[in-house]
Amino acid sequence: MTASKYSILLVEDDQPQRQTLAGFLRKKGYQVQEAASAQEAENWSKQNPVDLLITDLRLGGPDGIALLKSLKPRHPQLQCLILTAYGTVEDAVSAMKAGAYDFISKPINLDRLEILIEKALERVSIEKENQSLRSIALNTGTMSELVGESKPMQLVKETAIKAAGSKASILILGESGTGKEILARAIHRISPRKDRPFVTVNCAALPEQLIESELFGHEKGAFTGALTEKKGRFEMAHQGTLFLDEIGDIPLGLQVKLLNVLQSGSFERVGSTKTIRVDVRLLAATHRNLEQAIQLGTFRADLYYRINVISIHLPPLRERPEDLPLLLDHFLTKHADLSQVHIDSVDPEVLEKLNQWSFPGNVRELENWIERAVVLSSGNRLTKDDFPSQLFDPGTETAKVDATSNPDETIDLDQRVAQLETDLIRQALSQHQDNKSAAARQLGITERAIRYKIKKYHL
């Protein structure tokens, strides 16, 4: 750490003590500004940056805690060490509540002071870096693909920007189609690892017998078909970011090895005894309820707590309808090159139906519809004819079925459930070009289950 790049404000009304302490700090290479009172310190700080405040608690006027409270709003990254010869537990508690980094009793142990200064300035450095990353994210539109200005989306963006600068694991939660991978990529782009690899693994898309090899690699001859040596995704993501999508689908037996890697930063390839060390920042995502999976015994609690240091929940589209116009504009722009004419609007009748639709496929479903409509459109406005018929047919999806609209009407629950399942499965299959595995993942069921239901409903 370069001491000279930090500014220290030393406030002590005892001149001999102040000069002695300032001389010690200057010999260590720090830039030190002396002040004999809170007012003098306040005046100087209005025109100059302050990284670390070292202040006596009692100053013969406003005390050190009051000074810290006054300076903090103007210098958000400011850290503070409070000195006192008359310290009490109450004083220490008050200092910490005000945001002080630590509390030092006089006579001062200079070795301890030096250690605390280094640690406090490390925190200043982290705060400055995070502030820089937040500024970059906001000014360069790094979060531009996370379309939405609703309160839920603002919270998502704010949390992502704050978390991006740390090494902490992040668990992204949300239904299929909400944009979990888009968020993961945005976090990587504004992190200190932005110039390093961003490696993704869809845990639900890999057969169980191949996941271990895909994550950790294998040696030649490790198993039938292992004709060459192969690096795993952890090695490929060294010094970068590894995104494990649908982490809830990782087999229970492999979860132990994954936990060990996250704890130790080391592993062995399949078929090898050589230990490989990596520096990887983990981002994970799932549409599953992992807490419920822990109760069912299909997901390890210790792994859950390891990956869930910071969690970000992406809301489903139906919970942020105010973002629909912004998303429509975004997708019209994104897919504009698919049309031979400039499309600048959507018919009001279509907008009304889109606002009523529950979007079980979330933002991905909306994008698929807009892309399809742009391709099919023959004018500069998207109309009813450009969208799937189920959007306008009250007999499909749930069509906002209101079971209480006629209290005297007999409701056949099994028939309603069958109709809903049929519509959702057809919709998922259509969105994924009849790929049953992908459709099953979107619906949160197994491939075996969707094949059974396709046969059951003669789809």
Side-chain angles (χ1 to χ4, degrees), residues 75-347:
H75 306 278
Q77 83 286 353
L78 178 70
Q79 298 297 317
C80 177
L81 300 175
I82 291 184
L83 317 174
T84 184
Y86 313 99
T88 65
V89 173
E90 290 76 11
D91 288 334
V93 170
S94 297
M96 296 307 176
K97 284 184 176 180
Y101 183 78
D102 214 328
F103 192 86
I104 307 174
S105 299
K106 296 180 179 179
I108 298 170
N109 181 320
L110 294 179
D111 290 336
R112 180 169 183 266
L113 175 64
E114 187 176 1
I115 291 172
L116 288 176
I117 289 174
E118 288 183 0
K119 289 183 176 180
L121 290 178
E122 282 179 8
R123 184 172 291 185
V124 170
S125 177
I126 292 171
E127 287 293 326
K128 284 185 173 181
E129 185 175 25
N130 287 346
Q131 189 174 1
S132 174
L133 290 170
R134 286 194 287 271
S135 177
I136 291 171
L138 293 173
N139 295 331
T140 63
T142 311
M143 292 282 171
S144 60
E145 290 206 23
L146 283 170
V147 180
E149 296 299 330
S150 61
K151 286 186 177 180
M153 287 305 293
Q154 287 179 8
L155 179 61
V156 166
K157 294 177 186 180
E158 289 170 4
T159 306
I161 291 170
K162 289 178 182 178
S166 74
K167 295 181 180 179
S169 298
I170 299 176
L171 179 61
I172 303 172
L173 304 169
E175 296 177 7
S176 294
T178 49
K180 296 187 286 294
E181 183 173 345
I182 292 173
L183 175 58
R185 289 184 181 277
I187 291 171
H188 173 74
R189 283 197 300 268
I190 59 172
S191 77
R193 298 169 182 254
K194 60 183 180 297
D195 297 322
R196 295 294 184 173
F198 178 83
V199 179
T200 68
V201 182
N202 188 325
C203 302
L206 294 171
E208 183 173 340
Q209 61 271 26
L210 292 182
I211 293 181
E212 183 176 11
S213 170
E214 197 67 32
L215 290 176
F216 308 114
H218 62 252
E219 296 296 325
K220 180 179 179 181
F223 51 84
T224 303
L227 303 179
T228 60
E229 174 187 284
K230 177 184 177 181
K231 282 187 176 182
R233 301 298 177 93
F234 269 95
E235 283 182 81
M236 295 164 62
H238 180 54
Q239 296 184 330
T241 303
L242 177 64
F243 175 54
L244 297 183
D245 197 8
E246 297 303 347
I247 194 170
D249 290 77
I250 288 185
L252 193 60
L254 191 57
Q255 291 176 27
V256 179
K257 185 168 183 177
L258 177 59
L259 176 64
N260 289 336
V261 176
L262 297 178
Q263 289 176 333
S264 67
S266 61
F267 62 93
E268 294 80 37
R269 290 178 182 168
V270 177
S272 173
T273 58
K274 179 183 176 182
T275 298
I276 298 172
R277 296 197 61 83
V278 290
D279 171 20
V280 171
R281 199 269 179 89
L282 181 75
L283 305 180
T286 183
H287 73 281
R288 299 190 183 279
N289 184 331
L290 293 187
E291 292 181 351
Q292 186 178 68
I294 291 170
Q295 297 296 320
L296 295 172
T298 58
F299 201 85
R300 293 181 62 95
D302 45 7
L303 177 58
Y304 172 72
Y305 294 120
R306 187 74 188 185
I307 64 176
N308 191 29
V309 178
I310 299 171
S311 64
I312 302 177
H313 179 260
L314 272 171
L317 183 52
R318 63 182 174 276
E319 291 181 6
R320 53 185 186 106
E322 60 269 46
D323 288 333
L324 188 60
L326 295 174
L327 286 162
L328 287 173
D329 288 342
H330 174 73
F331 293 135
L332 284 175
T333 301
K334 181 178 178 180
H335 299 296
D337 59 343
L338 298 177
S339 175
Q340 296 182 358
V341 296
H342 174 67
I343 299 173
D344 56 16
S345 62
V346 179
D347 192 89

